[in-house]
Amino acid sequence: MRSVLVLGPTGWRAGFRALVPAEIARTLPAWWKRRGSPVPWPIDVRALLVDDVRRVGHAATMMELWDRPKGELRTALFHRIAREAHVDTFVVYWPQGGHTEGMSWEFHGLIKDILDEQLQAEAIRIFPEASVLGLDGETGLATLGEPDRRTTYFQDLLDAGCPVAPWSTYEELRLFVRKHLSP
Amino acid sequence: MKLPEDPVTWVFQNPHADAILRAVGDGHAHLPLEVRKSRGIHPESFRKTVHTLAGYDLVRIRAQKGARFHETPRGYGIEVVLEATPKGLQVLEILEEFRSVLKRREPTLARATRERWLAP
């Protein structure tokens, strides 16, 4: 059994028109208080992924399910969750148009752990929307990031060898997360 | 089209997936461009198929060791390679077993089956 921390954006960028199917809103877990309306926010999708991962027999959590005592830094919370929940797998949901600032900070910490040989690249599974991972069949070059969003550093994740699984629909996203966590 | 839960079912239904998996199934890293051209797959079909193979965790897309960044219309692109994952190698083994069964029964097969599974 794995212990999974689901990471990703919380909200959509201002003015970004997100396309999340109505089915996602209908299938959100009962224990989750939905944030985005009428269109679910990325944080809602992350709650759904936590629920999906639990249904296939793994432990799963997300930062928003943990209380942060007064005075505890968010970075400290991140490390405390990883320690107390015995997290061995990080699932990163990366839709186009999400706020990437928080993710950027989390990626920085994870990349540092890989460079310090505290974490294996295999432990970080990245699920970018297909438009976020460009694999050019003509040139064989890949780009991971959103143009004009200063996400160039994120390509270090590819360089480090983290598995990436691009998805085109939310049905695919949920399927691929399950497949990456199954034996 | 909705993808099946079972990756073997999907690969069985998708000749491009089968071809790519066989091309990278030798345990080595392969350049996407070489795989695509050697199998004669259209760039867009190739991109989509590789995405799904990576989604099922059958193929890994990773940066080539010491790869350099190149400017592309989408920003800096990095040279990547494709390689089969342990799960991908298991699926490939199933496909090879299936091929060997078909091979034994070749004379009784419909032409379309021979062309799909036994063509070099």
Side-chain angles (χ1 to χ4, degrees), chain A residues 2 8 21 38 47 49 60 71 84 86 104 107 117 122 135 154-155 168 173-174:
Chain A
R2 290 176 189 255
L49 293 177
E84 290 183 8
H86 305 289
S104 178
F107 279 157
E117 298 183 353
E122 291 265 325
L135 176 62
F154 293 177
Q155 305 212 115
S168 299
L173 167 69
R174 297 174 72 186

Side-chain angles (χ1 to χ4, degrees), chain A residues 142-154:
Chain A
T143 53
L144 180 64
E146 299 180 55
D148 305 322
R149 295 281 302 147
R150 302 202 62 188
T151 48
T152 303
Y153 272 110
F154 293 177

Side-chain angles (χ1 to χ4, degrees), chain A residues 122 137 142-143 155 178-179, chain B residues 5 36 60 76 78 87:
Chain A
E122 291 265 325
T143 53
Q155 305 212 115
R178 287 198 302 274
K179 294 295 115 185
Chain B
E5 187 75 27
R36 183 180 76 71
R60 180 83 22 96
Y76 287 107
I78 193 167
K87 284 183 202 170

